[in-house]
Amino acid sequence: MDQKKEKEHRIVLTGTPVSPGAVVARVCIQDNPGLQWQEPDQVRFDPGREGEMRDAFYRAVFQAREELACLSGGAGSGCEVQGEIFAAQGEILEDEELLSRIGQAILEERLEPESAIRRVFAAYEALFCGMTDPLIAARVADLQDVKRRLLRICQGGEGQHILSLKEEVILVARDLLPSDMASLDRAHIKGIITEMGGTNSHTAILARSLQIPAISGIQGATLRIPQGILAALDAMSGEVILEPDEVQQARYRKMQEQFLARRREEARYLSRPGSTRDGKVMGMGINIGSGEVSVPGEQYDFVGLLRTEFLYMEHMAPPTEEEQYEVYRKVLRQAKGKTVTLRTLDIGGDKALPCLALPREENSFLGSRGLRLCLARPDIFQTQLRAALRASALGDLELLFPMVGSLEEIFQARACVRKAMEGLAAEGFSYNPHIRMGIMIEVPSIALVADLAAEEVDFASIGTNDLAQYVSAADRMNPGMGPYYQGYSPAMLRLLERIFSAFAARHKPVCVCGEMAGDPQGAVLLAGLGARKLSMDPASLAGVKAALARVSLEEAKNLAGRCLRLRIQEEILGELVGHESF
């Protein structure tokens, strides 16, 4: 998604907006030598030094753990997400198999610690290469960051210093790892441009958490953008104007002021309950992708989506029942009595993982994914169900099955839960025998029989990203399919209304946890279509709460009614943009 064109006689570069905002400032090019280190030949040491070298490696591991623990516990500045990321990196250094492989290379092959670290980490990283799933891509960034930290310690280097700046700048880099983000001079860095990364990369997540406007995907940005040049960054449209004239500068600065004013106004709603202007309550949930709940309790009502895939990325072998139980127990404790919706393992096809040997499929999006994979691998599914059921005795936990396509799959999933319950009961474990079970509605076949599905489950969650992908028959990860992937098409709106109506008629709750729920305009539209529960990235809570508070439920319904009568997505988006509340 990168193009170069002339706009108002100025060079414009276009990328993917990943953190909203606007800024005008000079460019600072960040050289990332840590990301481009040359891999030297394998270096070996003389016989007799095996114990010395192994001990040196483990001292480096200990120091790296200490550094990550400090970064995790002291992120501060409102960046709880940063602490969560560094905590996940710390878990990499607890992987016994990874440490054992490095130690074995040192002892048996007499590889110097740096060479052993490079080799083993490279093997781990290679397993993730080419995978499009954003969670897996983030794991590659974590591996690179941990490797760089270990190598720096082995070389006797000091911790990363904060780049000292004297003026406000737009930082341009090939990519930024979490450690790079932690070392930013936040007082002076007002915008970020990267060549790599996407909306769910660590750079994007941290930029949103820090409220720094950011654009990714501008290929060759570090070479094409001159050091020190004045630039205007629009992280709503994804455009960067080089050497803007005075009129453009004034326009972008006004845009920046308006955006910041809106952010300040939205922040007033962050700790308030979600509701429309006329007091109709909207449940506000958060989506989390690790075993940490880092959001203050007054900001959210429930954990609408606990993605459990991260557990399977931590090690080269599937997590044990005990390992999973400890993580689920921890999340429930942090949620402090709030409902936690645990989505069972959602991988397969494009989300293959190193710890699971899965066959390659020609059409991965239509293959063995989500619940289908779990039903095909009862050993994995039973381990997760047992861990989740045991945790359910400690808090309000509910189960959510992903990628459900038929009623038959619902029946099979419930049978698997019963089997897990019977096994736990026989072994004397406690669990909630009345645990609620729900389905992700992402496949059109189950959406079209939502009335029948509502009779068989306790609740549903709508994954608007995948649902739009399957309704549109367009791969949302394929840039060439952008015009065809339509999240606000008339077909999507009618299908969503059908789902809300079917579950409401049976007094069963429906939560929307896809990207549409975290978009202020999308949230108002969803409320008008019938949604009463939304779950999103924590960074979206303030904007969504503020948008809902500006409209009455009747106004939202009228807006939805007008959109349902429109014929193409462009008209629907125009109706949303033109609404007075936005």
Side-chain angles (χ1 to χ4, degrees), residues 10-11 24-25 229-232 241-250 252:
R10 291 295 184 270
I11 295 176
V24 177
I229 195 171
L230 186 68
I241 300 178
L242 303 184
E243 293 187 300
D245 59 31
E246 292 183 0
V247 174
Q248 291 170 323
Q249 291 180 44
Y252 272 72

Side-chain angles (χ1 to χ4, degrees), residues 33-175:
L35 295 174
Q36 304 176 51
W37 283 344
Q38 294 295 318
E39 298 292 331
D41 294 333
Q42 299 292 295
V43 181
R44 288 177 166 80
F45 53 83
D46 295 330
R49 301 182 63 197
E50 290 84 354
E52 172 193 345
M53 291 295 183
R54 180 198 57 196
D55 291 347
F57 164 64
Y58 278 103
R59 284 196 298 273
V61 171
F62 178 80
Q63 183 175 333
R65 286 173 177 167
E66 291 290 299
E67 290 181 1
L68 289 170
C70 290
L71 287 168
S72 173
S77 301
C79 190
E80 294 85 1
V81 175
Q82 181 175 299
E84 184 178 323
I85 290 172
F86 285 123
Q89 288 191 6
E91 292 172 1
I92 292 176
L93 290 176
E94 300 295 337
D95 186 341
E96 293 182 3
E97 183 170 353
L98 181 146
L99 300 180
S100 175
R101 286 189 179 191
I102 297 174
Q104 188 175 14
I106 294 171
L107 291 175
E108 297 181 5
E109 300 181 50
R110 289 188 287 106
L111 283 179
E112 288 195 353
E114 291 176 45
S115 294
I117 290 167
R118 284 192 174 95
R119 177 200 284 182
V120 175
F121 271 85
Y124 272 58
E125 292 167 23
L127 291 168
F128 293 106
C129 285
M131 298 182 188
T132 58
D133 181 73
L135 283 175
I136 297 175
R139 180 52 57 186
V140 174
D142 283 331
L143 286 167
Q144 293 174 338
D145 212 5
V146 172
K147 176 181 70 174
R148 190 171 69 174
R149 185 176 300 278
L150 285 172
L151 292 174
R152 187 255 302 160
I153 293 171
C154 287
Q155 294 168 357
E158 298 180 0
Q160 201 162 4
H161 296 291
I162 292 178
L163 179 65
S164 180
L165 300 166
K166 296 181 180 179
E167 63 177 344
E168 295 183 351
V169 300
I170 296 173
L171 183 69
V172 179
R174 181 171 178 267
D175 196 9

